[in-house]
Structure formats: structure tokens, C-alpha cells
Amino acid sequence: MVDDITSCLAVLASICLNGNATADVYYGAPISGATIRYGGATIESLTGSDLILPPYVPDMRRQCSARACLFYRGHCAEAGAQRTCTLWYSFSREMELRKVTVAGDRAAVSLAMGDLRLVRSPNVLFPLSTFRYDAPDDLPPLCRVRPVSGSRTGRLERRCD
């Protein structure tokens, strides 16, 4: 397989598409991205938001190609015959988080994860199947704001533990 953007029939919301897909694109406030239907799976790709939150990198894994890296946190869950896999990712430590969710029956999700790739740049693509989906939940890797222990004033602090 050619590992550059020329192998994509289309690129939509940072997803390299090959084959028969339909999509709805949403762009603007408060979020932008796309809903893609591919081989029986539904892919939601969130690529932008009015609320820009930098990722908490210690809660993420690092995936590298020969040309670039990205940081990610993946989780899959099953309910009956349905499977949902969520990938939070960032192309740098400082950039906003992006999210891809692939849902459908197990076969459709497996097909989509094997065929679809994230586009980092024209020469850097990351297959969805190469990420590890072993996070304990699908929460975004962010620092949390919590009440200060023992505070009577309700003071909050940002904690990343």
C-alpha cells in the first residue's frame, strides 16, 4: 500500500478514505468535523472546537512513523454485537485534541479500522488499526479541575494526576 495522500480517494476531517463512503460535514461553531458511513460502520471525526483544550500528554501514548509522531489515547467497548472504538489524538503536545469514533458491528468496525487512516500531512498517514485501544475508558486525556481538599470556600484547582 502506498503510504501517502495519493493513495486516498478523498480526505475528509483528517481521515483518508478509500472505497465507497458517504459523509455529512459540519463546520463552524461550536464544533467541526464529519460523520462518515463506511462499510457498515459509522465514523465520527471531530477536528475542531471553540473550546481548545491542550492534551495531558502523560495520559497518552506516542505513535510514530518514519516522518512524524502523534499522541493518542484509545478505548474500545462492546455492547452485545456492537463495538465502539474511540481515539483521542493530537499532532503535537500543545495542539488541541481531536477525536475519532468508529461504531458498528464487530466486522464493520474491524473493516473500517483496517482501511481508514489519519492524515497528519501529505506524506504521513497513520492506520487506525495500528493504535492500541487499551485505555480504561473513553474520556479525553485532559487535566481535571477539582475542588481543593479541605477548602471551605469551594476553591478549585487544576490537577493532572
Side-chain angles (χ1 to χ4, degrees):
M1 175 189 312
V2 177
D3 196 27
D4 66 33
I5 205 164
T6 62
S7 65
C8 305
L9 292 177
V11 176
L12 186 60
S14 297
I15 302 286
C16 170
L17 298 173
N18 292 311
N20 190 12
T22 60
D24 296 313
V25 177
Y26 42 94
Y27 181 77
I31 60 173
S32 53
T35 301
I36 303 164
R37 285 160 297 286
Y38 182 86
T42 300
I43 298 94
E44 292 284 340
S45 181
L46 172 65
T47 57
S49 170
D50 284 352
L51 180 60
I52 298 173
L53 299 170
Y56 181 55
V57 175
D59 277 354
M60 302 175 84
R61 294 183 175 278
R62 184 176 172 185
Q63 178 85 5
C64 296
S65 72
R67 296 183 181 101
C69 296
L70 64 73
F71 298 90
Y72 75 95
R73 184 174 195 267
H75 172 80
C76 288
E78 294 189 9
Q82 298 297 301
R83 182 173 178 91
T84 301
C85 294
T86 302
L87 182 74
W88 291 95
Y89 67 98
S90 179
F91 291 128
S92 98
R93 291 174 184 263
E94 293 81 31
M95 287 180 64
E96 71 181 296
L97 283 170
R98 295 176 176 206
K99 179 183 178 186
V100 173
T101 302
V102 181
D105 65 49
R106 289 184 192 104
V109 169
S110 180
L111 174 70
M113 302 272 282
D115 287 354
L116 302 178
R117 294 170 287 158
L118 291 178
V119 177
R120 166 75 169 91
S121 66
N123 293 318
V124 180
L125 283 70
F126 292 95
L128 292 179
S129 60
T130 61
F131 298 107
R132 292 180 57 186
Y133 295 85
D134 58 355
D137 54 51
D138 65 352
L139 295 174
L142 299 171
C143 295
R144 308 289 190 251
V145 175
R146 300 182 179 129
V148 173
S149 180
S151 171
R152 293 176 187 239
T153 63
R155 191 168 62 96
L156 300 174
E157 68 180 351
R158 183 178 168 155
R159 299 204 39 203
C160 298
D161 56 330

